[in-house]
Amino acid sequence: MLNLTDLRFFQAVAAAPSLAAAARLLNVTPPAVTQRLAQIEQKLQLKLADRGPAGLRLTAEGGLLAERTASILADLDGLSEELAERRGAIAGALRVVAPFGYGRLKVAPVLAAFALEHPELAPSLTLTEDPRGAMRTDLWDVLIHVGRLPDLGVVQQKLAPNRRLLCASPSYASRNGLPKTPNDLPVHRIGVVREDQADVTLWSLSNSNGDTKLLRIHPSFESNDGEVIRGWAMRGLGIIERSEWSVSDDLREERLLPVLPDWRLPDADVVALMNPRSVRSARIEAFVSHLKTQLS
């Protein structure tokens, strides 16, 4: 007969695209995952997953077990939380997903402080630039995203406003000058961050007069890491577009200078998405409220 540990293990395996990914999620070696999965299959006398070059694929029986496991564990977690609420405690697992840069700098310390206030809480923070991929695993309670998202059918709540700013270093400005209008941008060196599937080379700028300018940028340098691009800009490589949360200190200390301050890019507000399985949870509501207070 399967036990609770077996169910939690299989939930992680079922959510992963491969045994190697499941091993990373469980913080064990791939052979250990293979052996444990074989033991569960032996208990049930059923094959639960096919392992092939294309990755891990659940059998019909594995899909049934994954579906029932998710329901059982959700009910169990809900019961534990309800009992904790009756004695005035916030307890249980709190699984948070956030972007790499924002998650490290902003979310991690807020989550740590919240966990210290509630010692029965078991926090988990996963950093990723693929929110849709994280949502497909269903192994999350709160997903934090910077920027616009399409309607994904889950409850969203705005946590903090966030402008997108153009900036460059004083050394770049002294060598090359700074653009006076958006039309001057094409003659400058531009850096972009390719973090997801968004078209980062199409810039839309507007001013207080209602004028809008749409520009196709041809990057001179790029990275998939925002901190790399920020560092390169401070070394004088060129003009970058970054979120206000990322460069506000640099602008205040004049390590970076504002570029085209009278023109604005579309805002990229910070939002929290709540998993439909846990949206009414007291711990989720308390954490999102705490986030909003701390981040806004």
Side-chain angles (χ1 to χ4, degrees), residues 3 6 14 19 58 89 104 142 146 200 204 210 216 218 237 243 253 262 272 281:
N3 57 38
D6 291 333
L19 289 178
L58 297 182
R104 279 193 298 263
V142 179
V146 180
V200 295
S204 175
R216 177 63 69 179
H218 300 285
L237 260 65
S243 284
E253 300 296 330
D262 295 330
S281 161

Side-chain angles (χ1 to χ4, degrees), residues 17-35:
S18 66
L19 289 178
R24 289 192 294 271
L25 184 64
L26 294 163
N27 197 29
V28 297
T29 64
V33 173
T34 302
Q35 182 180 11

Side-chain angles (χ1 to χ4, degrees), residues 130-182:
D130 181 17
R132 290 182 182 86
M135 290 177 69
R136 285 193 294 269
T137 68
D138 203 37
L139 297 177
W140 60 283
D141 297 309
V142 179
L143 189 150
I144 297 163
H145 182 72
V146 180
R148 296 183 179 181
L149 277 175
D151 184 2
L152 299 174
V154 299
V155 175
Q156 296 188 30
Q157 185 171 145
K158 180 178 173 179
L159 297 177
N162 178 54
R163 292 180 300 163
R164 294 162 62 213
L165 306 173
L166 298 179
C167 47
S169 70
S171 62
Y172 179 84
S174 66
R175 292 196 315 271
N176 303 280
L178 294 178
K180 293 181 173 58
T181 74

